[in-house]
Amino acid sequence: MLWDRGANGLVYDFDEIDGAEMIVDGHVLARVRRGEARRALDVMAPDAGQVVLRLMFADPRHPEFELDLWNVSTGASTGSPPEALRLGRRWLSHVEALMK
């Protein structure tokens, strides 16, 4: 897992991936988790103030890693809340595929 354009990172094995969640304005709206059915994102939030992707790992020191996909106050890298939601859905699909 790399961030800051690869300047920082954490290394995980595939079997350490536990899942991922999409959090919009503090509410978990979508989730993929090892051993659970996928909870699909079924809402659009064009005026969301914050869209966060939380990656979950079986690591006692670093069990979660959160990425701000959209934050109205800091202007995260995606251009709008709908773009952040699309990117988050792709991440959830990738994590789900890795866990299979």
Side-chain angles (χ1 to χ4, degrees), residues 74-85:
T74 62
S77 62
T78 56
S80 67
E83 288 177 42
L85 291 170

Side-chain angles (χ1 to χ4, degrees), residues 32-62:
V32 293
R33 190 126 198 201
R34 191 174 301 280
E36 294 179 9
R38 181 177 181 158
R39 178 177 169 192
L41 182 67
D42 59 358
V43 297
M44 293 303 293
D47 57 347
Q50 185 178 30
V51 178
V52 174
L53 174 70
R54 177 183 294 151
L55 302 171
M56 297 172 287
F57 302 95
D59 180 348
R61 292 182 313 157
H62 304 287

Side-chain angles (χ1 to χ4, degrees), residues 86-100:
R86 279 191 296 278
L87 178 60
R89 272 194 212 95
R90 282 191 305 210
W91 269 93
L92 292 179
S93 293
H94 293 312
V95 169
E96 187 175 40
L98 286 171
M99 291 188 307
K100 288 184 177 181

Side-chain angles (χ1 to χ4, degrees), residues 60-81:
R61 292 182 313 157
H62 304 287
E64 295 177 349
F65 184 85
E66 291 188 354
L67 298 164
D68 249 350
L69 300 180
W70 170 256
N71 191 324
V72 71
S73 63
T74 62
S77 62
T78 56
S80 67

